Amino acid sequence: MIYSNRKYADKLRKRILLGGVLVLVSLTVLLLLQLFTWLAIGAAVFVVAFLFIAALNLQYIRIFDEKEKIIIRYFSVFTINRLFQSIEFPVVNLMKAETEKHLGGIKTDLVLTVRTRQGVAVYPPVSLSGIKRKERQQIIEELNKLIPRKKEGA
């Protein structure tokens, strides 16, 4: 399985940045026209939208399997330093792949449960908010297909 949301995340990023610039230009016009009530309302909407986008934590994600390993690489769409995060584990250790929903179902996180020598471990959630809804479900289905099934009669 190979998945990357690079194109869609780039499109989202450009739209969000363009929207932010348009709002800032509008706020500047309101300031020049001395419409301070509307300026305050616009500034409040801008701050709330900024916090909402930050809470979504949109990420570039690349998921692939290589030599019986699942590798997930991701980093934030709006980060300055572009530090990649990575999750790697053998396919046979995967126990469960599921989603968690937050912010009224708008923010979706991928949560992976794997077996380790010390027991069961849950990886920190990876935001799937920068992925189309259909593709989120396909990713979960593909990952769950990779879970090793116990042999009958064993």
Side-chain angles (χ1 to χ4, degrees):
M1 167 182 57
I2 297 174
Y3 177 80
S4 175
N5 72 331
R6 182 95 188 174
K7 289 180 183 177
Y8 184 70
D10 278 340
K11 193 183 299 185
L12 275 177
R13 181 175 187 261
K14 288 175 185 172
R15 287 180 182 174
I16 290 169
L17 290 176
L18 179 63
V21 168
L22 291 175
V23 170
L24 289 175
V25 168
S26 301
L27 292 176
T28 304
V29 169
L30 291 173
L31 179 64
L32 293 174
L33 295 174
Q34 296 182 357
L35 298 171
F36 299 115
T37 304
W38 288 105
L39 177 66
I41 292 169
V45 168
F46 181 77
V47 168
V48 168
F50 177 81
L51 293 173
F52 180 73
I53 291 167
L56 283 179
N57 190 20
L58 300 174
Q59 295 180 340
Y60 292 113
I61 299 173
R62 185 168 176 238
I63 303 171
F64 54 101
D65 55 344
E66 181 178 283
K67 298 180 184 174
E68 297 299 316
K69 277 181 129 177
I70 295 175
I71 302 169
I72 302 173
R73 296 218 168 101
Y74 58 98
F75 66 96
S76 179
V77 170
F78 292 108
T79 189
I80 294 171
N81 57 10
R82 301 282 177 164
L83 290 176
F84 283 88
Q85 306 249 352
S86 184
I87 297 174
E88 296 183 30
F89 56 88
V91 173
V92 296
N93 290 357
L94 180 63
M95 292 177 65
K96 184 170 37 171
E98 60 188 353
T99 58
E100 288 181 351
K101 300 205 183 264
H102 306 283
L103 296 174
I106 296 171
K107 181 178 191 266
T108 304
D109 290 337
L110 170 65
V111 179
L112 299 168
T113 306
V114 297
R115 269 184 229 87
T116 65
R117 291 181 186 147
Q118 292 78 24
V120 175
V122 178
Y123 276 100
V126 177
S127 177
L128 297 180
S129 298
I131 298 175
K132 295 177 184 178
R133 290 178 197 252
K134 275 192 226 176
E135 292 175 359
R136 291 178 201 166
Q137 190 59 35
Q138 289 173 343
I139 289 169
I140 297 300
E141 288 172 5
E142 287 292 323
L143 288 171
N144 281 321
K145 283 180 188 175
L146 296 174
I147 296 173
R149 304 289 174 217
K150 292 185 180 180
K151 294 179 181 175
E152 301 282 332

